[in-house]
Amino acid sequence: MDLNVMEDASEIIHYDDPNIPIYVKIGRLSAFPHMRALGHWHEDIEIMKALQGNFVYKINGRSFLIKEGDAMIVNSRQMHYGYSADGKDCEFLCILFKPELLSGNRELRSKYIDTIIRHHYITESYLSRQQPKECSMLRLIDEFLPLPINIQSGYELELLSKLYLLWLGWFRLLQPKLLQKFRSSDANIDAQKTMVEYIYKNYARKLTLAGIARNGGVCRSECCQIFKSYLGKTPIEFLNAYRLQVSMNLLNDATYSITEIAIACGFTNPSYFTELFLRTKGCTPSSYRRQQKEFSEKNKVNNIFIK
């Protein structure tokens, strides 16, 4: 399960159909370096259910343990990421969709959609198997499985009908909170988004802690505290993690040498790039490139056989 982000730190969602903004995939934490995804945000609503094992979800600096069988709904535009707290893998179901998909009617959108996605108090909802009302929503989430392999005509309408029922359950669950007054956004969250955006835009250049902090309008010590609180990494650790993620995409292109990729990703010392890659991925950039090539060729053979 790949995680791609834009320069403003928002995730690029690869929908099954670009014209229908719904994404349904099964993933594993082991697909990410050190079983930890990079912090990001997106306009979409995200639903994550732990299918096998547990994982930790960090949302706007707060940590939640998602137990096997439970799920989390993350509201639009929240900084978040998941990771393993104990080094064990976890299989999860991820559902992403744009909230505007649920209503083209202005009155219904204002009454049922905007009241949730524009409410500053509502950042997430934990769904537990121990709560009867939440159990019914968890069963609805299960209905997205098994994923459609042989897609039948009209399957999009079936997915949409399930999303409507999920949203209705979520709306009713949130009704007490919807009555609470709005509050101003957290200045630290705003600073975090600004600094992450700065990193994504300038990762290929020489960046310093002072420069990252300055762009967030905070001092260096406050910058480190914010990154640790919201993303679980120091600013430089986060910068290097993103550089490595970019390098993994470039390694799929054989026209670039390892040195060229290192420099393009902001590593002035190719040896340090190799050392960091080995420490993070457990193999050298050259080995990773070879593994990806072998995997790609194997898939081509399998596709030919299936046809």
Side-chain angles (χ1 to χ4, degrees), residues 70-112:
D70 292 351
M72 178 71 85
I73 303 178
V74 184
N75 205 355
S76 177
R77 300 182 67 83
Q78 310 303 315
M79 285 292 292
H80 63 278
Y81 66 97
Y83 64 94
S84 171
D86 55 8
K88 295 180 181 178
D89 202 0
C90 175
E91 184 179 72
F92 56 84
L93 171 65
C94 177
I95 303 170
L96 291 140
F97 63 95
K98 288 196 178 298
E100 58 264 30
L101 182 68
L102 295 177
S103 179
N105 180 280
R106 184 180 300 176
E107 181 65 24
L108 290 176
R109 179 183 174 91
S110 175
K111 188 175 182 179
Y112 297 109

Side-chain angles (χ1 to χ4, degrees), residues 58-70:
K58 197 150 189 174
I59 304 168
N60 294 338
R62 294 184 298 152
S63 298
F64 304 86
L65 176 63
I66 314 300
K67 298 179 181 179
E68 184 173 314
D70 292 351

Side-chain angles (χ1 to χ4, degrees), residues 13 36 45 73-74 80 136 205 292:
I13 311 298
R36 178 184 291 259
I45 302 296
I73 303 178
V74 184
H80 63 278
S136 62
R205 298 167 52 196
Q292 291 299 105

Side-chain angles (χ1 to χ4, degrees), residues 152-297:
Q152 296 181 351
S153 177
Y155 86 100
E156 303 96 335
L157 294 176
E158 186 178 352
L159 287 179
L160 191 57
S161 69
K162 294 172 184 176
L163 288 179
Y164 270 113
L165 290 173
L166 270 174
W167 195 276
L168 175 61
W170 195 31
F171 179 83
R172 288 174 173 169
L173 194 66
L174 291 173
Q175 276 187 308
K177 286 187 176 181
L178 292 173
L179 300 175
Q180 297 178 20
K181 293 181 179 179
F182 278 43
R183 64 182 176 187
S184 58
S185 60
D186 188 328
N188 282 345
I189 294 177
D190 294 338
Q192 177 68 87
K193 287 183 177 180
T194 301
M195 291 187 287
V196 171
E197 178 181 352
Y198 173 71
I199 287 174
Y200 284 142
K201 285 182 177 179
N202 299 281
Y203 68 90
R205 298 167 52 196
K206 182 179 179 180
L207 299 185
T208 63
L209 173 59
I212 295 170
R214 184 169 56 251
N215 273 271
V218 296
C219 66
R220 288 184 294 181
S221 62
E222 194 174 0
C223 171
C224 291
Q225 290 172 2
I226 291 173
F227 265 85
K228 275 290 187 180
S229 175
Y230 288 94
L231 298 174
K233 295 178 182 291
T234 67
I236 301 305
E237 286 172 345
F238 186 87
L239 167 63
N240 284 334
Y242 183 64
R243 283 172 167 168
L244 287 178
Q245 181 174 299
V246 175
S247 76
M248 288 163 63
N249 293 329
L250 292 177
L251 284 167
N252 291 322
D253 189 337
T255 59
Y256 297 110
S257 69
I258 302 300
T259 298
E260 287 173 330
I261 290 173
I263 294 172
C265 293
F267 294 104
T268 54
N269 186 337
S271 297
Y272 177 66
F273 165 61
T274 299
E275 177 189 336
L276 191 62
F277 197 99
L278 176 61
R279 195 189 315 156
T280 304
K281 293 294 295 180
C283 64
T284 64
S286 299
S287 297
Y288 178 83
R289 168 175 274 174
R290 186 165 55 252
Q291 291 168 11
Q292 291 299 105
K293 182 180 179 182
E294 291 172 356
F295 179 77
S296 177
E297 290 174 349

